[in-house]
């Protein structure tokens, strides 16, 4: 065998050994205990997010917008009068759509006539963050009295969820260790060292109060009672543990 062939054969054997070592790595799910856990923490929220707006109609686009713009300004005034900071007030929706009317069906073989524009609908909305939950109910009442005729709902959350998130992470980690030990004990093996941790972050939705579908508000309705309840903060982990026999 020539020197060149000997070197080539040695290189191929080295690559084969390296590939085998990678396949046999303890990180491979087939050779470890793979655990997925989730930790949950329930806490009282400290902020509320209110979405309210104004819907106006007119024969022309200009007429619909002409009614909507001053109506929205009254909502903004009501929010500011409630002591809400400018940074917590945001315009979240602006739309102008034609209102279509379908003509009656003509008798006979005549083709149907196309729908015609019968007017326009202007819709604007505000998103308000309330940091004093005691103000949430009175603010909704104030918005209705100021002319809000549409509300998309109210949700609750935390201004800073880092501490609650860390507590949920701790629960997920404790559950991962306990579950790995449970599986190992049932199968007659021992849990070795932890070789992999992956945190699967998922956005924690705020707790919604009431029907989140759009509904029209009636002026003069009974005062709104807002109960924040509790929200759930979650953390998910994927861990891989060595198996010791």
């Amino acid at each position: 065998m020539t020197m060149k062939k000997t070197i080539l054969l040695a290189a191929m054997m080295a690559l084969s050994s390296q590939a085998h070592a990678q396949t046999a790595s303890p990180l491979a799910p087939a050779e470890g205990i793979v655990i997925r856990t989730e930790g949950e923490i329930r806490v009282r929220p400290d902020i509320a997010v209110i979405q309210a707006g104004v819907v106006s109609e007119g024969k022309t686009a200009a007429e619909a917008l002409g009614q909507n713009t001053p109506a929205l300004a009254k909502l903004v005034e009501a929010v500011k009068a409630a002591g809400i900071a400018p940074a917590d007030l945001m315009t979240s929706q602006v739309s102008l759509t034609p209102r279509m009317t379908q003509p009656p069906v003509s008798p006979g073989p005549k083709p149907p006539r196309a729908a015609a524009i019968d007017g326009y609908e202007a819709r604007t909305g505000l998103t308000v963050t309330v940091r004093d939950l005691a103000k949430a109910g009175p603010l909704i009442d104030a918005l209705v009295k100021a002319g809000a005729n549409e509300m998309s709902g109210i949700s609750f959350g935390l201004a800073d969820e880092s501490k609650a998130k860390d507590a949920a992470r701790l629960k997920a980690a404790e559950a991962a260790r306990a579950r790995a030990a449970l599986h190992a004990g049932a199968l007659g093996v021992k849990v070795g060292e932890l070789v992999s941790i992956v945190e699967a972050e998922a956005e924690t939705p705020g707790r919604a109060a009431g029907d989140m579908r759009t509904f029209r508000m009636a002026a003069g309705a009974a005062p709104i009672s807002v109960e924040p309840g509790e929200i759930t903060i979650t953390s998910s982990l994927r861990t891989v543990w060595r198996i010791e026999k």
Side-chain angles (χ1 to χ4, degrees), residues 105-127:
V105 178
S106 302
K110 295 180 180 180
R113 291 180 294 173
I117 296 177
D118 187 45
Y120 289 84
E121 180 182 270
R123 187 186 302 265
T124 51
L126 295 176
T127 297

Side-chain angles (χ1 to χ4, degrees), residues 7-18:
I7 295 174
L8 179 59
L9 179 60
M12 292 176 64
M13 292 178 64
L15 288 173
S16 177
S17 299
Q18 183 179 359

Side-chain angles (χ1 to χ4, degrees), residues 2-62:
T2 65
M3 180 64 69
K4 185 176 182 180
K5 289 183 177 180
T6 302
I7 295 174
L8 179 59
L9 179 60
M12 292 176 64
M13 292 178 64
L15 288 173
S16 177
S17 299
Q18 183 179 359
H20 177 74
Q22 290 177 350
T23 303
S25 169
L27 293 177
E31 298 187 15
I33 304 174
V34 181
I35 302 294
R36 290 178 174 85
T37 55
E38 186 173 273
E40 290 187 355
I41 294 292
R42 292 185 61 82
V43 295
R44 293 277 294 180
D46 57 16
I47 62 171
V49 178
I50 298 171
Q51 294 179 318
V54 178
V55 179
S56 305
E57 296 179 346
K59 281 292 184 182
T60 65

